[in-house]
Amino acid sequence: MKLSIAAAIGLLAVTLTTEAVKVNPLPKPVTINWGTSGPIKIDNNFRIVGPNSDILSKAYARTAALIKEERWIPQTWEQPMPQWPEYPQLAKRGEDDEEAPEFEAYKNNGKKTIKTFTVQVADLKADLQQGVDESYTLDITAAGQGTIKAKTTWGALHALNTLTQLIIDDGRKGLQIEEPVHIEDAPKYTHRGVMYDTARNFYTVKSLLKQIDALAWSKLNVFHWHITDTQSWPLEIKKHPQMIKDAYSPREYYSQKDIAAVIKYGRERGVRVFPEVDMPGHSASGWLQVDKKAVACADSWWDNDGWTHHSSVQPNPGQLDISYDGTYKLIKDVYTEVAKLFTDNVIHVGADELTPYCFNYSSSAMDWFKKRPSATYSDFIQYYLDKALPIFNDKPSRRLMMWEDIVLSHTMPAKNLPKNIILQAWNNGTDHIKKLTSQGYDVVVSSADFLYFDCGNGGWVTNDARYNVQEPIAVPKAVQDALDANPSGNVIGSLNYGGTGASWCGPYKSWQRVYGFDFTKGLTDEEAKHVIGAEAALWSEQSDHTVVENKIWPRAAALAELLWSGNRDAEGFKRISEMGARIQDYRERLVARGHAAHPLVPKYCVQHPHHCDFNRDQKAWGK
């Protein structure tokens, strides 16, 4: 991008490297050019001024308060690989050891002080919806001017979050920005988020609001709320108040007032909150309280000791009986209320992991097939879509979202799914992404091999004799036949010592695995246009509000940068090495802000950049 004349004069001298500064924001901006004329002092009582909208006015105050309270001192920063002697010298241990780098305060050199940052927004009416413009520019000049320009409110909010990472402590009870800087920034993908499952375990509203804070700080703009599942129904539906009897307790549910508060909190920070009411699979709790005939196989044993006889992929079983007319009346009641409650145009309606065997427990479903002797399970799920889609498409701006299974299932793929439905890809990486985009579907990537943050914690199903490593279990013939027909990583016998530990999607997904994921690899240019973004997913069989912060953070920050500006430098190399310093410092910042973000490395590695590198070659990841 070309610098404006004013920006060029303000910078005075522009360098393309970041070695002169200790701070660089995460996500890394698309274009960031630092000057070399020295630090800019920020008045301790600085103000942020701009358009007088409710959302922006709150953001000005919130941003200024955070910067003044935080007074950040960088914990690590990007540095070149140190040089070591080829052979050790005969010296006492500890002599001439390289000291850990220390943050050095800069003097202001008499330059002007910034007392006011000015925000300019072209369109205050643009709504927070999928695809809204989120671009901004940010200029800090040597003359003491700080200016943010954005096309929409939402771009301005991102700029303010960048500003919180630029202003640091000057070592003398003051604030500074290390050099004049010019930033031109906009996201690479419009859909950037995390999916939170609050059905398998409950999350307090307070914990959800903290997650929204962290999403906003890292410029993730989607809170995908998987709010119901077979295990519990924590969602208040006023037309059917008995549904929350299937919440885990009278205190573990979300009132409509709670949900409105979460949506409002997200909107004030540029985070879209949209619901997923999973159906027709993963449906038992809640639905059963209204009409037991609307649910199939809820009273079955979930496993039946063989894949061909599974009524559910996990306990407890239950699917909406899509042959029963009363099911659609209940769907309409629930969906209509949910659609009015959530303001986002996107609603996720599930459609994953349907198990055909479940319908053997439904006399209604069996009658449906008897009346249609040539019908397949594809015909059956298409019957559901033909009746449910008119309910779901309640307004012209509605965008539905479903899991990939509705198209790619081996057992129940739909025959005709409208192309305007967004599909969430979660299996087989780029292979499934290509299969969906090549058919013209917009795709949100959540590939389990890279973006399932619950993986790698061992199994959770109880009474699991596969852990009896000293006395391996005998394999039932039905199970062995199923394994032979569908080989998988879940090896019968010992699950330890290099095995999966019964985590079907193990191992744990490290931040480097997340950041290195090229999810458009192998796609044509036209197919790649259909990838609108990605989400990390935290399924909550083994998570709740007590651990969510360290399960999500700081790994989600790696996804945030991947989706905002990519993972490659100007030469096309994967910038894992420089990202290491950025995400390590960001983790320390999250902890300082009250978030229990998981440590990535021993603190020695934070304080000694590159000393813990596996590869000495800083371009080992290649292009």
Side-chain angles (χ1 to χ4, degrees):
M1 296 181 180
K2 294 182 179 179
L3 292 175
S4 67
I5 294 175
I9 293 172
L11 284 172
L12 296 181
V14 174
T15 178
L16 296 179
T17 69
T18 57
E19 294 177 11
V21 296
K22 301 295 186 289
V23 172
N24 271 288
L26 187 157
K28 184 170 186 176
V30 174
T31 299
I32 180 167
N33 293 297
W34 291 96
T36 57
S37 59
I40 313 299
K41 183 176 176 60
I42 310 299
D43 191 277
N44 277 329
N45 296 311
F46 76 88
R47 297 185 308 136
I48 303 172
V49 299
N52 188 25
S53 75
D54 181 61
I55 288 176
L56 285 173
S57 295
K58 289 179 179 178
Y60 304 151
R62 187 171 61 243
T63 301
L66 177 59
I67 292 169
K68 294 170 185 177
E69 178 183 358
E70 190 169 58
R71 311 189 75 86
W72 187 245
I73 297 174
Q75 301 299 294
T76 190
W77 51 89
E78 300 164 32
Q79 297 178 60
M81 168 65 75
Q83 297 298 314
W84 285 275
E86 187 173 354
Y87 297 103
Q89 305 298 311
L90 294 176
K92 292 181 181 179
R93 180 176 176 84
E95 286 187 11
D96 298 324
D97 278 358
E98 181 181 339
E99 294 183 0
E102 295 181 358
F103 175 74
E104 296 179 1
Y106 290 97
K107 295 182 178 180
N108 184 243
N109 297 325
K111 294 184 177 61
K112 291 186 177 180
T113 298
I114 296 181
K115 296 183 178 181
T116 302
F117 292 90
T118 303
V119 177
Q120 302 172 18
V121 178
D123 182 3
L124 292 171
K125 295 182 179 180
D127 196 9
L128 181 61
Q129 298 289 352
Q130 167 65 32
V132 70
D133 191 298
E134 298 173 275
S135 64
Y136 70 90
T137 63
L138 190 157
D139 282 291
I140 307 297
T141 71
Q145 294 179 330
T147 306
I148 288 170
K149 295 180 181 179
K151 291 185 178 179
T152 69
T153 297
W154 322 113
L157 292 178
H158 292 317
L160 291 170
N161 279 315
T162 298
L163 187 66
T164 68
Q165 296 185 60
L166 295 177
I167 300 176
I168 58 176
D169 191 275
D170 69 357
R172 295 176 293 117
K173 298 183 179 180
L175 297 170
Q176 68 172 3
I177 295 178
E178 295 168 276
E179 297 282 356
V181 65
H182 173 76
I183 294 174
E184 295 183 22
D185 212 6
K188 189 174 183 179
Y189 294 97
T190 58
H191 187 114
R192 310 176 306 280
V194 176
M195 188 222 71
Y196 297 88
D197 165 17
T198 63
R200 290 178 174 86
N201 275 304
F202 184 76
Y203 292 62
T204 63
V205 170
K206 181 179 178 181
S207 72
L208 298 182
L209 300 183
K210 285 190 71 176
Q211 286 301 301
I212 289 174
D213 283 332
L215 292 171
W217 293 333
S218 57
K219 299 184 177 67
L220 290 169
N221 67 347
V222 168
F223 183 108
H224 170 173
W225 195 346
H226 184 95
I227 198 167
T228 67
D229 215 289
T230 54
Q231 291 89 352
S232 78
W233 185 279
L235 169 62
E236 181 187 26
I237 299 296
K238 291 187 176 180
K239 188 166 185 177
H240 298 293
Q242 68 269 41
M243 294 184 84
I244 58 170
K245 289 182 179 180
D246 282 339
Y248 288 125
S249 78
R251 292 185 297 177
E252 293 176 291
Y253 80 96
Y254 304 104
S255 69
Q256 294 198 2
K257 184 178 179 181
D258 291 333
I259 291 169
V262 172
I263 294 168
K264 181 176 184 289
Y265 195 88
R267 182 176 177 83
E268 289 177 347
R269 288 154 181 80
V271 176
R272 298 165 48 215
V273 179
F274 68 77
E276 179 186 351
V277 179
D278 205 348
M279 61 178 106
H282 291 275
S283 301
S285 294
W287 306 99
L288 286 167
Q289 291 290 343
V290 182
D291 187 349
K292 286 182 169 54
K293 290 187 291 183
V295 179
C297 77
D299 293 328
S300 68
W301 167 243
W302 73 280
D303 181 77
N304 286 312
D305 299 318
W307 285 109
T308 56
H309 294 85
H310 269 213
S311 61
S312 174
V313 295
Q314 64 174 226
N316 52 309
Q319 295 176 175
L320 293 183
D321 190 339
I322 58 178
S323 67
Y324 170 56
D325 286 342
T327 297
Y328 298 95
K329 180 182 183 302
L330 182 51
I331 287 174
K332 185 172 183 178
D333 289 347
V334 170
Y335 183 87
T336 299
E337 206 160 311
V338 169
K340 289 180 180 177
L341 184 58
F342 286 85
T343 57
D344 203 90
N345 287 336
V346 172
I347 292 182
H348 201 305
V349 289
D352 62 319
E353 295 186 318
L354 277 164
T355 307
Y357 194 80
C358 173
F359 294 111
N360 290 345
Y361 292 88
S362 165
S363 57
S364 175
M366 293 300 96
D367 287 343
W368 188 93
F369 279 103
K370 285 178 183 178
K371 293 176 182 177
R372 302 164 178 82
S374 62
T376 65
Y377 280 111
S378 286
D379 294 314
F380 198 29
I381 193 62
Q382 190 64 49
Y383 175 81
Y384 162 76
L385 289 175
D386 291 344
K387 292 177 74 69
L389 287 179
I391 298 171
F392 298 153
N393 288 313
D394 58 332
K395 61 181 182 179
S397 60
R398 176 68 65 213
R399 287 288 313 262
L400 298 175
M401 194 167 168
M402 298 182 182
W403 294 100
E404 64 172 38
D405 311 46
I406 196 66
V407 170
L408 300 181
S409 168
H410 295 296
T411 55
M412 291 188 70
K415 289 188 169 183
N416 180 25
L417 185 75
K419 301 296 183 184
N420 64 345
I421 293 177
I422 301 167
L423 294 178
Q424 192 160 7
W426 66 279
N427 264 315
N428 295 335
T430 55
D431 177 58
H432 279 197
I433 297 168
K434 188 173 183 66
K435 285 181 178 179
L436 297 172
T437 56
S438 65
Q439 295 181 53
Y441 291 105
D442 285 347
V443 168
V444 169
V445 176
S446 291
S447 300
D449 286 349
F450 296 88
L451 299 177
Y452 269 27
F453 283 7
D454 53 297
C455 301
N457 290 291
W460 60 270
V461 290
T462 52
N463 191 32
D464 189 347
R466 293 175 300 172
Y467 284 108
N468 190 9
V469 297
Q470 292 177 302
E471 298 177 18
I473 62 173
V475 181
K477 185 178 185 305
V479 174
Q480 188 61 58
D481 290 345
L483 289 171
D484 291 341
N486 299 285
S488 71
N490 292 317
V491 180
I492 294 295
S494 173
L495 299 180
N496 302 299
Y497 310 111
T500 65
S503 173
W504 74 270
C505 55
Y508 180 89
K509 314 308 176 193
S510 70
W511 77 263
Q512 293 182 75
R513 186 173 180 86
V514 173
Y515 191 68
F517 185 22
D518 288 334
F519 47 78
T520 58
K521 187 174 183 179
L523 272 58
T524 66
D525 290 344
E526 188 60 33
E527 290 165 352
K529 291 177 183 177
H530 283 291
V531 178
I532 64 173
E535 293 176 7
L538 183 66
W539 299 106
S540 293
E541 289 89 349
Q542 296 172 294
S543 300
D544 63 10
H545 64 273
T546 66
V547 298
V548 62
E549 292 174 10
N550 62 65
K551 289 288 185 76
I552 295 291
W553 303 100
R555 289 186 291 168
L559 177 64
E561 179 160 310
L562 177 66
L563 297 174
W564 185 273
S565 56
N567 60 10
R568 283 176 161 76
D569 63 19
E571 297 177 358
F573 287 93
K574 287 189 176 180
R575 58 188 186 209
I576 298 286
S577 181
E578 69 166 78
M579 177 59 170
R582 209 158 39 245
I583 197 170
Q584 288 165 20
D585 187 71
Y586 193 75
R587 183 264 169 182
E588 299 299 319
R589 190 186 288 265
L590 286 172
V591 172
R593 291 180 179 182
H595 286 252
H598 199 286
L600 299 173
V601 291
K603 198 157 190 176
Y604 171 89
C605 307
V606 176
Q607 295 177 342
H608 296 78
H610 302 298
H611 283 233
C612 301
D613 288 2
F614 185 83
N615 294 104
R616 193 165 185 174
D617 179 4
Q618 298 301 290
K619 295 183 178 180
W621 281 70
K623 292 187 175 182

